[in-house]
């Protein structure tokens, strides 16, 4: 029997720890003080400052398993490998080891620790572009690695070169759009070959095309990517070799587990077994039927993503994080209706949520006993409301004598109806719609949606603009000022920064009065006018706790932590006005912030409040 996801996690941790790596706890799914993204979308997200040269408190060999969500991939879900919610297994070298150690260790982990057949592993490398040479060093290393397994790794067969679109990394994409001054470099991906029978599957859209590692037919799945940050861009077309080179590895836990099962369907692993089983029971349909798989996969993924997002403190709404959560839940209900041909109750959907909580109980900070009531309540309330909308939409369709593409799209937009449901119901009345016209309406709306959310799904690659740094530091002053006015019942629940404003969510036993809001604002601006120094120290967590440093309770912290102090020098840290765990970066003096105005304050739940500042 294949290993379980619990065993895979243990093997990954043990392997990298034996090679001198320290575990860095995963950050929350809703990243703090990062205006570039709604959700944590990669394992490297918290390490951007370190990859840019800032030392990490845990040293220069790190690893972790990071829960991620990529809402921009929602339309891709339904095949054997795409998900919106996933976990990224990663290891990092910050100026320590490089290509030879990384590639050898990674192959050793896959083959000796996980038992993957080396004959089923293929790799890609950077082919070179402009004055950037091909990654010949990685090619030679891969040849030597395969030779140990008596495999003749020929370039073009076992080792394949791809251009910068596939095998180059920078925060800005290909070399031409790599930001000047940024580290960047080639990457090398490892693919698992599930067998030629998957390429020729009768339902494969690629069954008549030439097969290769990146063709997306389903035969090959990428299970790991090693990024080698060996250059810094000096100017257009000018790249300089770095003295201290970094390694950034990421591999999807779900996909690696599928390789261990030798099954290209990630939804057939033990991560999804309970979820799929409950979905089968509710729908009365079998996952073994090919026509049922896409909808069951969407339901399983979206419900899992919804539970993760609720665990991160998000509630359904019509804005940003809450809108994504609402879309995931509502899309699940629509797909379940499509699957079973009748309405599904909110109570039935909570059974799926319970299966997800059971699967992840004790993983990534999820506690089923403590969280089940809240998670189930949020999902139940949202599904109950949407169920009524879905029912009304069905009644609208029944009234129609004629329908055009715009009317069908209005149903999709207003009630969440996919064109498939509309089409099926209209066929019963002898009506049909023009799919091309519907697609044109859909694409027009999607383009508008993408434009309106531009910049929100970049992957959290560290906006370090002057205004962001000011708001980041001001958040620390706001946190402490709230404690000054309301006392120690204050607990940070989350924060969000954009170039236009900062937002701070907190718990408190009492609500701020209008006068107290003014008092908080006065305290903050007083500290700004006082021109207090802002600096950090890397300390043992126990020492930071003794100093009274504040932390975000939803985060886990390593043994060594970075603490920012506002209003003290190194010899008088205990006397600082604000002491708080934080990765940074910040301004160097509070005077750089400028005047801050608390622009909005509201209640968002029981003893839960949200305050905005500009």
């Amino acid at each position: 029997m294949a290993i379980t996801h619990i065993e895979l996690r243990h093997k990954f941790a043990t392997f990298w720890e034996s090679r001198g790596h320290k575990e860095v706890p995963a950050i929350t799914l809703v990243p703090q003080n990062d205006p570039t993204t709604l959700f944590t979308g990669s394992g490297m997200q918290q390490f951007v400052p370190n990859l840019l040269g800032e030392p990490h408190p845990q040293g220069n060999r790190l690893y972790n398993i990071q829960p991620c969500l990529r809402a921009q991939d929602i339309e891709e879900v339904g095949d054997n490998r795409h998900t919106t919610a996933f976990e990224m297994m990663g290891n990092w070298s910050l100026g320590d080891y490089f290509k030879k150690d990384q590639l050898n260790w990674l192959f050793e982990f896959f083959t000796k620790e996980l038992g993957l057949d080396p004959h089923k592993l293929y790799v890609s490398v950077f082919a070179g572009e402009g004055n950037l040479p091909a990654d010949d060093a990685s090619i030679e290393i891969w040849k030597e690695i395969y030779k140990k397994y008596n495999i003749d790794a020929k370039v073009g067969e076992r080792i394949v070169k791809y251009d910068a679109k596939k095998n180059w990394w920078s925060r800005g994409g290909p070399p031409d759009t790599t930001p000047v001054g940024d580290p960047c470099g080639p990457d090398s991906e490892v693919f698992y070959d599930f067998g030629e029978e998957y390429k020729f599957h009768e339902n494969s859209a690629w069954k008549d095309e030439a097969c290769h590692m990146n063709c997306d037919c389903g035969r090959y799945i990428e299970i790991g990517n090693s990024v080698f940050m060996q250059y810094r861009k000096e100017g257009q077309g000018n790249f300089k070799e770095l003295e201290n080179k970094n390694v950034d590895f990421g591999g999807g836990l779900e996909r690696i587990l599928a390789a261990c099962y030798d099954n290209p369907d990630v939804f057939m692993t033990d991560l999804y077994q309970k979820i799929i089983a409950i979905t089968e029971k509710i729908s009365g349909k079998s996952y073994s039927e090919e026509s049922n798989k896409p909808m069951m996969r969407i339901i399983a993924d979206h419900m899992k993503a919804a539970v993760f997002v609720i665990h991160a403190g998000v509630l359904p709404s019509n804005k940003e994080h809450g809108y994504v959560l609402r879309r995931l839940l509502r899309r699940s209900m629509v797909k379940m209706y499509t699957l079973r041909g009748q309405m599904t109750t909110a109570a039935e959907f909570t059974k799926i949520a319970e299966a997800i909580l059971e699967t992840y109980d004790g993983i990534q900070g999820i506690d089923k006993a403590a969280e089940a009531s809240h998670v189930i309540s949020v999902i139940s309330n949202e599904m109950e409301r949407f169920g009524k909308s879905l029912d009304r939409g069905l009644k609208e369709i029944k009234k129609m004598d004629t329908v055009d593409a715009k009317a069908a799209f209005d149903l999709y937009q207003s009630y969440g109806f996919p064109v498939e449901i509309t089409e099926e119901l209209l066929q019963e009345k002898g009506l049909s719609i023009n799919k091309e016209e519907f697609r044109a309406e859909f694409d027009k709306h999607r383009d508008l949606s993408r434009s309106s959310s531009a910049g929100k799904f970049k992957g959290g690659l560290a906006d370090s603009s002057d205004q962001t740094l000011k708001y980041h530091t001001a958040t620390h002053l706001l946190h402490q000022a709230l404690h000054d006015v309301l006392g120690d019942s204050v607990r940070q629940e989350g924060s969000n920064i954009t170039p236009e404003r900062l937002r701070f969510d907190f718990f408190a036993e009492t609500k701020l009065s209008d006068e107290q809001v003014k008092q908080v604002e006065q305290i903050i601006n007083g500290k700004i006018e006082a021109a207090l120094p802002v600096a950090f120290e890397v300390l043992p967590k126990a020492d930071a706790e003794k100093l009274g440093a504040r932390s975000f309770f939803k985060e886990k912290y390593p043994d060594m932590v970075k603490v920012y102090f506002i209003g003290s020098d190194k010899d008088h840290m205990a006397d600082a006005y604000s002491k708080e765990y934080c990765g940074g970066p910040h301004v160097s003096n509070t005077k750089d912030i400028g005047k801050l105005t608390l622009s909005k304050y509201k209640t968002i739940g029981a003893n839960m409040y949200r305050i905005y500042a500009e």
Side-chain angles (χ1 to χ4, degrees):
M1 180 180 175
I3 66 172
T4 66
H5 72 96
I6 301 295
E7 291 170 333
L8 173 57
R9 297 170 196 276
H10 177 71
K11 285 178 177 289
F12 184 77
T14 301
F15 183 86
W16 292 108
E17 284 174 0
S18 70
R19 284 152 184 79
H21 291 66
K22 297 288 183 66
E23 181 181 13
V24 178
I27 59 175
T28 61
L29 197 60
V30 178
Q32 298 299 297
N33 304 321
D34 188 342
T36 66
T37 186
L38 290 178
F39 298 100
T40 300
S42 67
M44 59 86 72
Q45 200 156 314
Q46 67 168 303
F47 299 109
V48 169
N50 312 112
L51 295 169
L52 294 174
E54 186 175 311
H56 193 280
Q58 293 291 91
N60 54 17
R61 293 189 180 192
L62 313 169
Y63 82 93
N64 78 358
I65 302 176
Q66 174 67 53
C68 301
L69 192 142
R70 294 180 182 172
Q72 66 269 40
D73 289 346
I74 196 168
E75 302 291 348
E76 303 294 327
V77 180
D79 62 16
N80 64 320
R81 62 204 177 280
H82 282 100
T83 60
T84 58
F86 61 96
E87 294 176 88
M88 188 64 79
M89 309 176 84
N91 69 273
W92 291 267
S93 166
L94 305 175
D96 190 346
Y97 61 85
F98 202 47
K99 294 180 182 180
K100 185 172 183 180
D101 285 334
Q102 171 61 23
L103 298 182
N104 272 279
W105 286 342
L106 181 61
F107 209 77
E108 182 182 346
F109 174 69
F110 282 149
T111 57
K112 295 183 179 178
E113 292 298 317
L114 301 186
L116 300 183
D117 183 351
H119 293 85
K120 286 179 169 282
L121 298 178
Y122 290 74
V123 299
S124 67
V125 295
F126 179 53
E129 186 169 304
N131 61 352
L132 289 164
D135 189 5
D136 293 329
S138 290
I139 291 175
E140 293 306 312
I141 293 168
W142 280 124
K143 285 182 177 179
E144 289 299 316
I145 290 171
Y146 277 111
K147 189 181 294 184
K148 298 175 186 176
Y149 296 85
N150 298 314
I151 296 173
D152 182 13
K154 294 179 180 178
V155 176
E157 296 178 4
R158 179 72 57 176
I159 304 169
V160 181
K161 294 182 179 181
Y162 286 97
D163 62 19
K165 292 180 180 179
K166 294 292 186 182
N167 283 86
W168 175 267
W169 184 90
S170 83
R171 295 198 297 172
D176 285 350
T177 55
T178 296
V180 173
D182 268 16
C184 50
D187 61 54
S188 183
E189 298 175 333
V190 179
F191 293 78
Y192 187 85
D193 180 9
F194 289 96
E196 194 161 327
E197 63 270 26
Y198 292 100
K199 186 265 188 274
F200 292 107
H201 194 285
E202 61 181 6
N203 291 329
S204 172
W206 293 269
K207 64 181 183 296
D208 297 322
E209 298 180 16
C211 191
H212 61 93
M213 279 184 272
N214 275 306
C215 74
D216 286 330
C217 72
R219 171 181 174 177
Y220 297 96
I221 291 183
E222 178 203 331
I223 60 172
N225 183 15
S226 298
V227 175
F228 301 119
M229 298 181 193
Q230 66 186 85
Y231 299 105
R232 183 184 299 277
K233 187 171 182 178
E234 300 290 309
Q236 196 58 35
N238 182 19
F239 294 84
K240 182 180 179 181
E241 195 91 9
L242 288 169
E243 184 175 344
N244 292 318
K245 302 174 176 64
N246 301 323
V247 173
D248 163 26
F249 169 77
L253 185 150
E254 291 81 359
R255 293 184 174 192
I256 294 173
L257 194 59
C260 293
Y261 277 65
D262 197 25
N263 187 325
D265 188 349
V266 300
F267 295 92
M268 291 296 287
T269 68
D270 70 324
L271 277 172
Y272 292 95
Q273 283 174 354
K274 292 176 182 177
I275 306 168
I276 293 293
I278 291 293
T279 305
E280 287 181 314
K281 185 175 181 180
I282 293 170
S283 66
K285 300 293 177 66
S286 172
Y287 186 78
S288 61
E289 290 290 328
E290 285 295 325
S291 60
N292 295 334
K293 287 182 178 180
M295 286 173 285
M296 286 192 172
R297 289 165 175 166
I298 291 170
I299 293 165
D301 167 74
H302 288 11
M303 290 299 293
K304 170 182 165 179
V307 170
F308 275 28
V309 172
I310 295 168
H311 168 70
V314 178
L315 298 175
S317 72
N318 289 325
K319 292 184 179 180
E320 296 193 328
H321 308 86
Y323 175 75
V324 173
L325 173 58
R326 174 162 284 167
R327 188 181 179 201
L328 289 165
L329 290 172
R330 293 186 172 188
R331 202 162 186 256
S332 297
M333 178 168 272
V334 170
K335 293 302 178 183
M336 185 68 87
Y337 178 85
T338 307
L339 183 64
R340 71 186 298 198
Q342 65 184 73
M343 296 295 294
T344 301
T345 67
E348 287 174 310
F349 273 103
T350 62
K351 297 296 183 185
I352 301 175
E354 288 175 353
I356 295 164
L357 288 170
E358 187 174 336
T359 299
Y360 285 91
D361 191 23
I363 302 293
Q364 300 293 4
I366 291 176
D367 184 335
K368 180 184 177 184
E371 296 185 68
S373 177
H374 173 64
V375 170
I376 288 170
S377 174
V378 171
I379 291 175
S380 181
N381 290 339
E382 181 67 18
M383 292 307 208
E384 190 170 339
R385 283 194 296 266
F386 180 60
K388 295 174 182 176
S389 295
L390 187 59
D391 189 51
R392 287 196 298 269
L394 291 168
K395 290 175 181 176
E396 287 295 318
I397 287 182
K398 290 177 182 178
K399 294 177 185 176
M400 292 181 176
D401 294 322
T402 60
V403 65
D404 59 15
K406 188 177 186 308
F409 180 74
D410 286 344
L411 283 167
Y412 171 86
Q413 193 172 21
S414 299
Y415 301 106
F417 272 59
V419 66
E420 293 83 4
I421 293 181
T422 305
E423 188 175 32
E424 288 173 12
L425 294 171
L426 291 173
Q427 282 176 350
E428 295 176 5
K429 302 175 68 171
L431 301 173
S432 63
I433 60 173
N434 186 312
K435 286 186 177 180
E436 291 184 4
E437 290 179 4
F438 178 89
R439 176 54 59 181
E441 289 285 338
F442 181 85
D443 288 344
K444 182 168 63 176
H445 172 76
R446 183 174 59 184
D447 290 342
L448 287 172
S449 297
R450 285 176 173 172
S451 297
S452 66
S453 62
K456 278 293 181 183
F457 300 110
K458 294 177 183 176
L461 300 179
D463 176 7
S464 297
S465 66
D466 289 344
Q467 188 58 55
T468 297
L469 297 188
K470 292 175 184 178
Y471 281 147
H472 200 165
T473 310
T475 300
H476 287 220
L477 293 176
L478 172 58
H479 191 187
Q480 182 58 46
L482 287 169
H483 276 271
D484 293 348
V485 174
L486 292 177
D488 287 337
S489 74
V490 171
R491 182 181 71 219
Q492 180 183 356
E493 291 287 338
S495 62
N496 178 261
I497 290 175
T498 73
E500 292 76 35
R501 55 95 181 125
L502 72 83
R503 189 190 78 204
F504 190 82
D505 296 345
F506 64 98
F507 169 93
E509 291 178 355
T510 56
K511 182 180 179 180
L512 286 167
S513 65
D514 291 343
E515 194 59 40
Q516 286 175 316
V517 172
K518 291 179 182 177
Q519 186 181 353
V520 170
E521 183 178 283
Q522 289 170 353
I523 291 172
I524 295 170
N525 285 310
K527 300 303 179 185
I528 291 172
E529 292 171 8
L532 301 178
V534 181
F536 73 85
E537 288 291 329
V538 175
L539 306 166
K541 185 167 64 173
D543 291 351
E545 290 171 349
K546 290 176 183 177
L547 287 170
R550 304 195 187 285
S551 62
F552 180 40
F553 83 101
K554 291 182 180 179
E555 295 277 16
K556 291 183 178 179
Y557 295 93
D559 293 335
M560 296 294 292
V561 294
K562 187 177 182 181
V563 179
Y564 271 86
F565 298 88
I566 300 178
S568 75
D569 58 33
K570 186 174 182 180
D571 296 327
H572 301 86
M573 292 185 292
D575 299 327
Y577 172 68
S578 168
K579 304 180 282 287
E580 193 163 329
Y581 295 34
C582 189
H586 293 276
V587 298
S588 59
N589 192 288
T590 58
K591 69 180 179 182
D592 298 330
I593 298 173
K595 186 176 180 180
L596 198 76
T597 301
L598 301 186
S599 55
K600 191 176 179 181
Y601 174 61
K602 64 180 182 180
T603 302
I604 57 174
N607 296 108
M608 296 282 289
Y609 306 98
R610 175 169 291 170
I611 198 162
Y612 292 87
E614 299 173 357

